[in-house]
Amino acid sequence: MEQPEHRATFTLHSREYRLPQCPTVVVCIDGFDPEYLQSGLDRGLLPIFANFMKNGFRATEMSCMPSFTNPNNVSIITVALPSIHGIAGNFFLDRSTGKETMICDDSLLRGSTLPKQMSQCGVRVAAVTAKDKVRKILAHGLKGDAVCFSAERAAECTLAENGITDIEQWVGRPAPSQYSADLSLYVLDAGIKLLQEDKSDFLYLTLSDYVQHKHGPSSPEADDFMNAIDEGLAKLAAMAIVGVTGDHRMSRKSNDAGEPNVLFIEDVLNAKFGENAARVICPITDPFVRHHGALGSFVRVYLRDQTLLEPALAFCQALPETKVALSGKDAAQRYAMPLEREGDIVVISTSSTVLGSCRSDHDLSSVMDFPLRSHGGLSEQALPVIMSKAVNNLQAARPRNWNNYDVFDLVLNWAV
């Protein structure tokens, strides 16, 4: 592909990036828990992953907090922490209006993104996501010729909005259900087509975690899903440098009877401190509630009366379901989250527990078909990062710990 003669690199957040010299793909596997990977590797089900790890590169990385989809996808494309880019959940409370708001576009995003910078340098950029809630953020600042669409809304794509149309005919099958493994596989198939037809040189493909929310490692459903991803990676790697990362891992949150281990923290706070003493926001909340019932490992507590801060914080810290409880200020500092979008208290659950607001706000029937698996806490941060190519001068590439947002540094700057 031709590169702009006047420019071979650009800088984002004080780090320099090379423009791709060959097609380059980053795949974010939503819910990329290493147990799924290791289970498949141990039984010889994932030959392409095995090849990447033997002949390319693998390390353990950490996701950002909270370990949810939106903050981490935005961290990956901005190569920055949430305290810098400003997105700290899928759902938040706007203190100025008192309204609970879904983050479904780039209006709260601060700064630039790596795809935007690539697009402005003349690189043909494509971003394909399973969930439309991420798509408008990925499209931030892209030039008109860039391709950006979601599998969820593939039937509705237009040239003006998405840079491509007639997706279903082009991919060869209808847009899949939101609640299916095929939502993710559709993304991979679209990425493969974009490369086969020489429509893009720089791709970001981000999947759905529907399967991992419902099915544990070594289950037939998880095996089939991981094997299909493996086959998709084989096709991508035949045409491009491929980096694979994740936004969070997944933990079982159910007891032996298959019932969710839930603490409805707004209920217990109001029982302790009085009616309407606390309001709890679950930032995992999104349109895909059948995945998780809006139950995750991280919540934000807003207090009616600030004199309750110390006793309410102490109460939260003493709950057996709590791993960490901090004031919003301390949580923002410790986990590099934007302070202006924090609650009064942040509560993070243990690895086997999820947190809800009020029992009446959560439909548990949506998560009773399989033992609940979810994420958002500290126990869901450690992930694999994998690349199809070996790394040139590993010590120079990263003399410190890896984060999932380092994946673009890997594929652009250090692939052999």
Side-chain angles (χ1 to χ4, degrees):
M1 98 188 179
E2 294 183 3
Q3 303 293 339
E5 294 181 3
H6 64 287
R7 194 172 179 187
T9 65
F10 65 89
T11 300
L12 183 62
H13 298 303
S14 303
R15 186 182 296 178
E16 188 172 69
Y17 295 89
R18 300 174 185 171
L19 298 185
Q21 300 304 303
C22 64
T24 301
V25 182
V26 165
V27 180
C28 177
I29 300 177
D30 199 342
F32 192 27
D33 193 297
E35 290 186 32
Y36 292 90
L37 177 62
Q38 194 59 53
S39 174
L41 292 170
D42 289 345
R43 291 174 292 138
L45 302 178
L46 305 175
I48 303 306
F49 274 111
N51 178 269
F52 284 8
M53 293 164 65
K54 179 181 178 181
N55 299 306
F57 172 82
R58 182 197 179 173
T60 297
E61 63 184 11
M62 298 297 286
S63 74
C64 302
M65 285 293 289
S67 49
F68 293 133
T69 295
N70 270 13
N72 279 280
N73 270 280
V74 179
S75 282
I76 291 167
I77 64 168
T78 61
V79 294
L81 292 161
S83 56
I84 296 173
H85 62 64
I87 306 296
N90 306 334
F91 196 75
F92 77 105
L93 179 68
D94 186 335
R95 286 184 184 265
S96 65
T97 64
K99 293 182 179 180
E100 300 177 13
T101 304
M102 184 79 65
I103 297 176
C104 53
D105 59 33
D106 62 346
S107 59
L108 296 179
L109 178 67
R110 298 195 294 242
S112 188
T113 72
L114 197 144
K116 174 184 176 180
Q117 294 296 316
M118 286 285 181
S119 180
Q120 292 181 343
C121 288
V123 177
R124 296 179 301 168
V125 171
V128 186
T129 174
K131 305 172 185 178
D132 202 64
K133 70 176 185 179
V134 181
R135 191 259 311 172
K136 289 185 179 180
I137 300 176
L138 297 183
H140 177 76
L142 295 183
K143 290 174 60 178
D145 58 350
V147 173
C148 186
F149 69 93
S150 71
E152 179 190 355
R153 302 282 178 85
E156 304 167 25
C157 290
T158 66
L159 285 173
E161 179 79 8
N162 308 100
I164 192 169
T165 191
D166 298 324
I167 298 294
E168 293 178 311
Q169 181 179 355
W170 179 65
V171 173
R173 63 185 189 278
S177 165
Q178 298 177 21
Y179 302 106
S180 69
D182 195 39
L183 192 72
S184 293
L185 305 183
Y186 209 86
V187 174
L188 293 176
D189 288 348
I192 291 163
K193 288 276 288 185
L194 286 165
L195 290 179
Q196 288 173 338
E197 298 180 6
D198 191 29
K199 294 181 183 295
S200 181
D201 303 299
F202 182 81
L203 290 82
Y204 182 61
L205 310 175
T206 179
L207 312 186
S208 162
D209 57 0
Y210 174 73
V211 170
Q212 297 94 323
H213 270 293
K214 294 293 187 182
H215 306 287
S218 303
S219 65
E221 296 87 350
D223 285 348
D224 289 346
F225 182 59
M226 289 299 294
N227 183 255
I229 292 175
D230 195 76
E231 292 175 354
L233 292 177
K235 295 175 183 178
L236 290 171
M239 299 179 281
I241 296 173
V242 179
V244 183
T245 188
D247 54 354
H248 56 79
R249 60 191 298 167
M250 199 74 72
S251 298
R252 180 180 168 122
K253 308 290 188 178
S254 295
N255 59 26
D256 292 340
E259 301 164 334
N261 291 322
V262 187
L263 171 65
F264 294 102
I265 196 160
E266 184 172 317
D267 285 342
V268 299
L269 282 168
N270 288 339
K272 175 70 174 177
F273 296 103
E275 186 177 357
N276 298 322
R279 185 175 179 182
V280 170
I281 297 296
C282 303
I284 194 174
T285 304
D286 68 7
F288 293 76
V289 291
R290 274 176 52 192
H291 287 40
H292 45 63
L295 299 168
S297 306
F298 181 110
V299 297
R300 295 184 166 103
V301 179
Y302 297 81
L303 299 171
R304 178 189 60 199
D305 183 348
Q306 290 300 304
T307 64
L308 292 176
L309 179 58
E310 289 190 13
L313 179 56
F315 178 77
C316 291
Q317 290 169 338
L319 294 167
E321 297 89 350
T322 297
K323 175 71 173 179
V324 174
L326 296 167
S327 70
K329 179 179 179 180
D330 289 344
Q333 183 174 16
R334 180 179 296 187
Y335 301 122
M337 300 182 297
L339 176 59
E340 69 275 19
R341 292 172 190 159
E342 271 316 318
D344 298 314
I345 297 173
V346 164
V347 183
I348 303 171
S349 69
T350 61
S351 62
S352 60
T353 307
V354 281
L355 303 171
S357 55
C358 304
R359 182 178 293 274
S360 59
D361 288 344
H362 297 268
D363 179 9
L364 296 188
S365 67
S366 68
V367 295
M368 295 298 288
D369 50 349
F370 295 97
L372 177 64
R373 301 174 62 79
S374 198
H375 55 94
L378 300 171
S379 52
E380 290 85 45
Q381 281 192 281
L383 301 160
V385 58
I386 300 168
M387 186 167 63
S388 60
K389 300 291 185 180
V391 168
N392 180 26
N393 192 351
L394 178 60
Q395 185 60 29
R398 185 62 58 231
R400 57 171 175 80
N401 294 332
W402 292 90
N403 297 104
N404 56 355
Y405 56 82
D406 291 317
V407 65
F408 279 119
D409 188 26
L410 270 175
V411 297
L412 293 170
N413 293 338
W414 300 103
V416 173

